[in-house]
Amino acid sequence: MADPVPETTDTDNTDTDTDIGGGWHSAARRRAGTPRRAAAAAGRARLRGGVSLVLLGLLALVALLVPWLGDAAGQQVDYAAVLRPPSPAHPFGTDGSGHDLFVRASAGLRVSLLVATACALASTVLGAAVGALAGAVGGWLDRLLMRLVDTVNAVPHLLLGIVIVALFRGSLGAVVVSIAATHWTTVARIVRAEVLSLRSRPFLDAAISGGSSRARVLRRHLLPAVVPQAALSAVLLLPHAVWHETALSFLGLGLPPHLPSLGNILGESRRAVLLGAWWVVALPSALLVLATLATSGLAAGWRDRLVPRRRSELAL
């Protein structure tokens, strides 16, 4: 005799409906909370960008004003005050030549920021030109330029930079070229991707249908549209350029020794640290880290404001 088939009651259906309804309500609550999370993420991005901008402005003021106000203290050699610890006369101590370390490190920050800015701008211009050309023309030229990008990325950046500056040792132009030649590939990929996404937009089809040439479309429509991404890439490259220049100067292959860059100051302080003069490294390293954090935070805040859809997705 077969087992009796259990009867289906309305209670089971009610429970199921309740579970389904609860799931829908939970999803609705999650969707309702998404705008609040997105607004909170936007607030944090604005706060981070504002704090980074203020910090970068203070560092710029220090780099501009301190070397100008204390030029004699930063340039005059005083062997009677060699490796003095921090004191009221020298708040951050002196280096191995008796220079006031605060004045000399501020001058080094100015030199490093100027060189890094030149390198970032050169990398951005080169990468934006290559990326816009590859994305707009396409075909074999796109494949050729992307293989060139892959080839440059396959070589270690620091090693390639050392080879370039070793050929023209002590040249400021060689430092700029070495950093620009190794950092333009990221900008090229970003700009190419932006151009490829713009090529499918209706306004470009309308411009081409109206008789605009490819050069006119590139000049009037594509390049202005990728300027924000290229500018953001330049800010993102700035901390990389600062560290790259510092590394080359620290190795003795970067800027000339008479230029007080952060890398040169850190390179000169290696023997002083062995003698217990920790302050010779502390201030230049702190300025280097603060400059990196300020530029990185400013770039991150700008990126979140430039791409709000990405910020909303991260908040989900």
Side-chain angles (χ1 to χ4, degrees):
M1 182 175 178
D3 294 334
V5 179
E7 295 181 0
T8 303
T9 61
D10 294 337
T11 305
D12 298 334
N13 294 334
T14 303
D15 295 339
T16 304
D17 294 339
T18 303
D19 294 338
I20 295 176
W24 281 107
H25 288 309
S26 300
R29 285 194 297 269
R30 286 195 299 270
R31 286 194 298 270
T34 298
R36 289 194 294 269
R37 289 196 297 269
R44 289 193 297 269
R46 285 193 295 267
L47 178 61
R48 178 174 54 185
V51 171
S52 300
L53 184 60
V54 171
L55 179 59
L56 189 59
L58 291 176
L59 290 175
L61 287 178
V62 169
L64 291 175
L65 296 180
V66 172
W68 178 60
L69 295 175
D71 183 63
Q75 299 295 332
Q76 184 177 0
V77 177
D78 186 5
Y79 290 111
V82 171
L83 296 181
R84 290 283 181 85
S87 62
H90 304 284
F92 293 94
T94 61
D95 61 5
S97 299
H99 299 131
D100 186 89
L101 195 58
F102 182 49
V103 177
R104 187 165 175 80
S106 301
L109 177 64
R110 179 179 60 185
V111 172
S112 295
L113 286 179
L114 289 176
V115 173
T117 302
C119 296
L121 290 177
S123 300
T124 302
V125 170
L126 179 59
V130 173
L133 188 62
V137 177
W140 65 269
L141 184 60
D142 182 20
R143 294 191 295 271
L144 177 63
L145 292 177
M146 288 301 101
R147 296 297 77 75
L148 176 62
V149 168
D150 294 337
T151 302
V152 175
N153 285 334
V155 181
H157 290 174
L158 185 59
L159 180 60
L160 182 58
I162 290 175
V163 171
I164 295 175
V165 297
L167 298 175
F168 307 95
R169 192 166 182 175
S171 173
L172 178 61
V175 175
V176 175
V177 170
S178 67
I179 299 175
T182 55
H183 289 76
W184 62 271
T185 55
T186 303
V187 183
R189 288 188 179 277
I190 292 174
V191 172
R192 174 181 175 271
E194 189 70 17
V195 170
L196 290 178
S197 67
L198 291 172
R199 285 177 58 180
S200 60
R201 303 291 177 85
F203 71 90
L204 283 185
D205 295 335
I208 295 174
S209 300
S212 298
S213 63
R214 182 175 294 178
R216 180 180 176 82
V217 169
L218 178 62
R219 185 178 65 256
R220 296 293 300 273
H221 299 285
L222 294 180
L223 287 181
V226 301
V227 165
Q229 292 287 350
L232 176 59
S233 300
V235 179
L236 287 171
L237 284 175
L238 192 57
H240 292 275
V242 171
W243 281 93
H244 202 120
E245 181 275 325
T246 303
L248 291 175
S249 299
F250 180 80
L251 295 174
L253 300 172
L255 299 179
H258 67 275
L259 288 178
S261 68
L262 293 178
N264 284 338
I265 296 174
L266 291 174
E268 295 170 357
S269 64
R270 283 177 291 186
R271 280 180 287 186
V273 173
L274 298 178
L275 299 176
W278 55 267
W279 58 89
V280 182
V281 179
L283 181 61
S285 302
L287 291 177
L288 179 62
V289 172
L290 288 176
T292 303
L293 292 177
T295 52
S296 299
L298 180 62
W302 187 4
R303 179 188 58 201
D304 290 341
R305 293 185 60 132
L306 186 64
V307 191
R309 182 178 61 185
R310 176 184 178 274
R311 184 179 62 231
S312 300
E313 291 173 354
L314 290 177
L316 289 176

